[in-house]
Amino acid sequence: MFKSLSIIIVMLSTMASCLLFPICNAGRLVQRQTAIRKTGFYGDETLRTAIKCFSTLKEDKDESKETVDESLSSFGVDSGDKSECFIDSGSTSITTLNKTSSTGATNSRKSHRRNKMIQRLAPPAPETFPSWSYEPRPYFHYELLYESKQSLARVGRIHTPHGIIDTPGYVAVATNAALKGVDFRDADSTGQQLIFCNTYHLLLQPGTDVVEGAGGLHNFVNRKHGPLITDSGGFQVFSLAYGSVHEELSTGGELKRASLKKSGRDFSENAVKVNEEGVIFRSYRDGRKFPLTPESTVQAQKSFGADIIIPLDELPPYHIDDTMLRDSVERTHRWEARSLKEHLKNVKDQAMYCVIHGGLNRQLRKESVNYLTSLPFDGYAIGGSLGKNGDELMELLAWMMPMLNQDGSNNSGEVMQGHVNRRNKPRHLLGIADEPSILGAVRHGIDTMDSCYPTRLARHGTLLSRDGKVHIKSGRYSRQYGVPVDRECSCSTCLHYDRPYLWHLFKAKEPVFMQLATIHNLQYMNDLMKKQRQLILAGKI
């Protein structure tokens, strides 16, 4: 009898625990939810508290389950969905991670699961940033010299700790802190001012400790009197998942995934993992996992010491539905706000540009412009998907750039309270490539634009000239004695060598060809931008 009573007592205790467990946890969740609503975001520190949806709640029918369901549903969480939900206090959001079968699912099912991601809270408001961060920077500013009366084109200067950047200007890309085929002295001789270095590659090799030990990038590469800009590394990381821009646009993202699966390296599933905290990616060198968060990428760029740095952003593919695009833009806003807060902890005479997103969705672009320009960033970068061709890019810029030309005043010229003067900050177009797009971007008020286009063309045998591209491998150039690549070019290549010799070097695969060709193409780009400045000042653009 006593044994039976003991069994009954144990059973009653177990039932009481099952009832109290979800009630207690529901109370904690409601308490945490209330705190979130009061603050609007979770704060600077990253607690990364994970709350698992209780499997018992999926089966229980009692009131405690309803209490938890009601609390979760206010965030958009469907507790009946067999998933795990995570609250990330550093990210101001909750994300549901749906479990998938090992055999995969169709694209429609994946889209459906992603569309069930729960509602995110707003990113930090402008007033949560320190008041001093909105004051002018003594070490960095944009000087507007002239505005066109025919277009949004303008001429100006960007003042940085390591030199002046004349705008509109071309930005050469030195992926591994090195230009392909030439050193920085050759680049400087062509009039190259701002140079772009990629954080992703520098993180993997040589690493932040090596660069910081040298005293920063300027000392490391021995370019102490020329400005540098570094990115967050996000573009390269997301390219692992979606493929190059060309591959993604031409195949709807399928070519990259197919080629990697064929090679046994399924980057789209394994190489890049994205959550609210940031990104985890695998090194293309040795397969090691690297975490990349808004805070860590800023810390890396602090070690590099570039004049201009970029916050972490998510780069979604061109082929994406509006719901997923909105998720991406909102996450990017939170990431950029976290990056900015990290930057402001120790500015180190560096400027930080925001990255405006939204793809071709005008509503999202407008929201991105309005939010990011309200924060104390030093300049505006145009990023995300910019269209599948030059026409879409120009259409986007024609619609969007007037928003960045607002000076915060009304029709009477009086500055309106709460309005930001967007005209007095530089604008950078990320990753623009071909010459027609560059010329079009200038007309729409872009100040600087980066591209590896001219250096890549050079090492593949294409030289730029005022008469059109010169594909030097063609035999037609083998007997054009005494004719330089471009008769109007003043670079050392055109001053000392003719087309037949360059044709020979390329056909013979002599390494010096890359140097000579790259010097010329850089000179052509800087001459092109100088000409654009002259035409703007002359009132012709």
Side-chain angles (χ1 to χ4, degrees), residues 29 32 36 42 48-53 72 74-79 81-99 110 112-121 273-278 314 324 326-328 330-332 334-335 338:
L29 185 57
R32 186 167 296 150
I36 294 167
Y42 288 89
R48 292 180 295 277
T49 305
I51 300 180
K52 290 190 175 182
C53 296
L72 290 175
S74 66
F75 286 109
V77 178
D78 180 6
S79 64
D81 182 25
K82 295 183 177 180
S83 61
E84 290 182 344
C85 57
F86 293 88
I87 295 183
D88 188 325
S89 57
S91 65
T92 76
S93 77
I94 306 176
T95 305
T96 53
L97 303 178
N98 292 275
K99 297 179 181 178
K110 288 182 179 179
H112 177 70
R113 284 197 299 270
R114 286 168 180 162
N115 289 344
K116 293 186 104 176
M117 291 183 70
I118 64 176
Q119 178 183 353
R120 293 184 172 87
L121 301 178
K273 298 293 183 182
V274 183
N275 58 33
E276 195 64 34
E277 177 61 15
E314 181 178 3
M324 294 174 63
R326 174 170 288 280
D327 288 340
S328 175
E330 291 176 354
R331 179 185 290 117
T332 285
R334 295 189 297 273
W335 281 1
R338 286 168 56 190

Side-chain angles (χ1 to χ4, degrees), residues 37-53:
R37 284 174 172 164
K38 286 181 179 179
T39 59
F41 67 103
Y42 288 89
D44 295 334
E45 73 280 357
T46 304
L47 302 178
R48 292 180 295 277
T49 305
I51 300 180
K52 290 190 175 182
C53 296

Side-chain angles (χ1 to χ4, degrees), residues 152 362 391-403 440-441 443-446:
L152 294 180
R362 293 191 175 187
D391 291 339
E392 286 192 347
L393 170 62
M394 291 303 109
E395 184 179 348
L396 174 65
L397 293 179
W399 171 83
M400 184 179 66
M401 292 308 294
M403 290 191 289
R443 296 185 64 87
H444 292 299
I446 294 294

Side-chain angles (χ1 to χ4, degrees), residues 378-396:
D378 302 293
Y380 310 134
I382 315 300
S385 176
L386 299 172
K388 61 184 178 183
N389 52 44
D391 291 339
E392 286 192 347
L393 170 62
M394 291 303 109
E395 184 179 348
L396 174 65

Side-chain angles (χ1 to χ4, degrees), residues 430-469:
L430 287 164
I432 190 63
D434 61 295
E435 186 176 330
S437 294
I438 290 175
L439 300 180
V442 168
R443 296 185 64 87
H444 292 299
I446 294 294
D447 297 313
T448 53
M449 54 218 79
D450 70 276
S451 171
C452 58
Y453 174 72
T455 52
R456 181 188 292 123
L457 285 181
R459 60 181 179 269
H460 291 291
T462 298
L463 305 172
L464 302 170
S465 82
R466 290 159 180 82
D467 297 323
K469 294 177 182 177

Side-chain angles (χ1 to χ4, degrees), residues 25-67:
N25 281 279
R28 292 173 189 167
L29 185 57
V30 172
Q31 191 176 39
R32 186 167 296 150
Q33 176 186 3
T34 304
I36 294 167
R37 284 174 172 164
K38 286 181 179 179
T39 59
F41 67 103
Y42 288 89
D44 295 334
E45 73 280 357
T46 304
L47 302 178
R48 292 180 295 277
T49 305
I51 300 180
K52 290 190 175 182
C53 296
F54 315 114
S55 59
T56 56
L57 294 182
K58 295 183 177 66
E59 299 175 358
D60 291 344
K61 304 297 182 181
D62 56 16
E63 293 181 0
S64 63
K65 175 183 182 301
E66 295 175 1
T67 303

Side-chain angles (χ1 to χ4, degrees), residues 467-529:
D467 297 323
K469 294 177 182 177
V470 176
H471 303 287
I472 202 66
K473 66 180 180 181
S474 173
R476 62 184 292 194
Y477 302 114
S478 63
R479 298 184 185 277
Q480 293 184 2
Y481 303 114
V483 179
V485 175
D486 189 329
R487 295 182 186 274
E488 298 182 44
C489 182
S490 61
C491 76
S492 59
T493 300
C494 289
L495 291 178
H496 296 98
Y497 305 104
D498 60 8
R499 293 181 176 186
Y501 183 60
L502 294 173
W503 167 82
H504 157 67
L505 293 177
F506 181 78
K507 298 294 284 186
K509 299 182 180 179
E510 288 291 339
V512 72
F513 170 81
M514 185 187 298
Q515 178 186 10
L516 298 178
T518 302
I519 288 174
H520 168 76
N521 279 1
L522 288 177
Q523 183 73 60
Y524 176 84
M525 292 301 299
N526 285 300
D527 286 349
L528 176 67
M529 303 314 295

